[in-house]
Amino acid sequence: MTLQEPLFAARVIYDLLFFFMVIIIVLNLIFGVIIDTFADLRSEKQKKEEVLKTTCFICGLERDKFDNKTVTFEEHIKEEHNMWHYLFFIVLVKVKDSTEYTGPESYEHNLDWFPRMRAMSLVSSDAEGEQNEIRSLQEKLESTMKLVANLSGQLTELKEQMTEQRKQKQRIGLLGHPPHMNVNPQQPA
């Protein structure tokens, strides 16, 4: 191809447009994949950070379990379930000779002692809540029993009054005579 060919300029423009279009489309696809990947990584990182901020590392309980309780979530993760204390204990058990283990240390391979989904502060407050609920139920039961006894006494009094009224009406004769006594002997039947 030389410059004297009639379609040289058109061919150069066509080739340049083709390469620009292909390069732009392919690069946009690649950049789109890269950007999506970074966005996914960023959202995963934010989710992990959110979980670390709102969930106890030791027991796995979330922050909302400690709402309206005696112990706040921050106190719980700093004092009750301090992850460094658990780590120190595990390291102690690993470096200590097994013949020198104390009672808790002898459960080296058994992880049942690890507080999964439970905390002592929640157990005590739950027990207190249950005791308060039981007390209130007992008080309601006692007041209901008093009401039932009162109503039973009133019902007994009402029965006695009704019986007394019937007796008085029978004495006076207002209840009516039996049908054979209502017949007047002087009137023919």
Side-chain angles (χ1 to χ4, degrees), residues 92-103 105-106 108:
L92 171 77
V93 168
K94 293 292 181 191
V95 297
K96 193 173 187 180
D97 187 22
S98 62
T99 59
E100 297 177 7
Y101 284 164
T102 62
E105 294 169 352
S106 62
E108 171 187 12

Side-chain angles (χ1 to χ4, degrees), residues 58 86 89-90 93 104 107-116 118:
I58 300 299
Y86 281 85
F89 179 75
I90 291 171
V93 168
Y107 288 99
E108 171 187 12
H109 299 291
N110 184 356
L111 294 179
D112 289 342
W113 59 272
F114 221 77
R116 295 303 306 154
R118 61 181 188 242

Side-chain angles (χ1 to χ4, degrees), residues 4 7-8 14 23 26 35 57 59 78 87 103-104 106 131 137 141 158 162:
Q4 278 73 24
L7 298 175
F8 179 75
Y14 175 78
I23 288 173
V26 170
I35 290 171
F57 182 76
C59 66
K78 287 180 182 172
L87 178 67
S106 62
Q131 287 177 353
L137 286 174
L141 180 63
L158 187 60
M162 293 289 291

